[in-house]
Amino acid sequence: PFMATASVTPSAPTGVTATATSTSLTVSWTAPAANGSPITGYNVSATAGNVTTTCGTVAATATSCTISGLLAGTTYAISVTAINANGSSTAGTGSQATSGNVTPPAASGPFTSGAHGVAYAGRTVTITISGGGFYGQPKITSTEFGTRAVVSHDSGTSLTVRVSTPANARMGCHTMTIRLANGKACRVNYNVK
């Protein structure tokens, strides 16, 4: 007699974990043991509210991928499903956090403990700013029109900023505002002579 074989979708991936930076999640998993037919790829996503971000096309041989462009301090639900010719598995589960939720860390500051350097009108000076959580290409602006500030080094706990003041800069104390990628900001006073 003729025996028909049922079409079977893959089992769910197991061991799902996610490692977070402030703007990305690297998701890892173990391939399912029961496939029905060969796995052709994976769907990997991170969802916060009604916004879902994916890794894009993930190869059948992959066991990890990185989801970029996420918001720091936001909790994401992680989903990994395996795909074969018969369809998709249920979402894999893991031990990273309850229900697969992972929160990329928000920048922790900055908590400014010092700004060192004096800017002279018409010249460039290097000012070191200590604190924390500076990663993420902070935007720096000054109260003195025409002043230009460029980050030349960022260790996460200190910034080295090259400050160029215009030749007609007003003498006295001025303020730079450092705004991080997560919206937090601090102010640093500096002197122009």
Side-chain angles (χ1 to χ4, degrees):
F2 176 76
M3 298 285 290
T5 302
S7 296
V8 178
T9 57
S11 300
T14 58
V16 177
T17 61
T19 303
T21 70
S22 61
T23 58
S24 69
L25 291 169
T26 299
V27 183
S28 302
W29 63 90
T30 300
N35 301 332
S37 67
I39 290 175
T40 57
Y42 292 91
N43 283 326
V44 184
S45 65
T47 302
N50 60 359
V51 178
T52 297
T53 308
T54 70
C55 282
T57 303
V58 181
T61 55
T63 56
S64 70
C65 73
T66 299
I67 304 173
S68 302
L70 303 180
L71 296 174
T74 301
T75 299
Y76 288 86
I78 307 303
S79 173
V80 180
T81 59
I83 308 163
N84 68 10
N86 303 315
S88 297
S89 71
T90 57
T93 59
S95 58
Q96 174 71 19
T98 304
S99 301
N101 292 334
V102 179
T103 305
S108 60
F111 305 110
T112 304
S113 57
H116 312 288
V118 176
Y120 289 85
R123 294 172 61 183
T124 298
V125 67
T126 298
I127 296 178
T128 300
I129 304 160
S130 59
F134 294 111
Y135 284 132
Q137 298 181 344
K139 180 181 179 183
I140 302 177
T141 54
S142 171
T143 56
E144 176 63 16
F145 180 77
T147 297
R148 193 164 172 263
V150 178
V151 176
S152 59
H153 179 72
D154 181 354
S155 71
T157 57
S158 70
L159 285 177
T160 302
V161 181
R162 290 182 58 78
V163 180
S164 301
T165 56
N168 61 348
R170 293 176 298 122
M171 304 302 178
C173 188
H174 300 288
T175 303
M176 288 191 305
T177 299
I178 302 171
R179 188 168 298 280
L180 303 184
N182 69 351
K184 293 187 178 182
C186 76
R187 290 192 173 93
V188 175
N189 293 326
Y190 66 99
N191 284 307
V192 173
K193 291 187 176 180

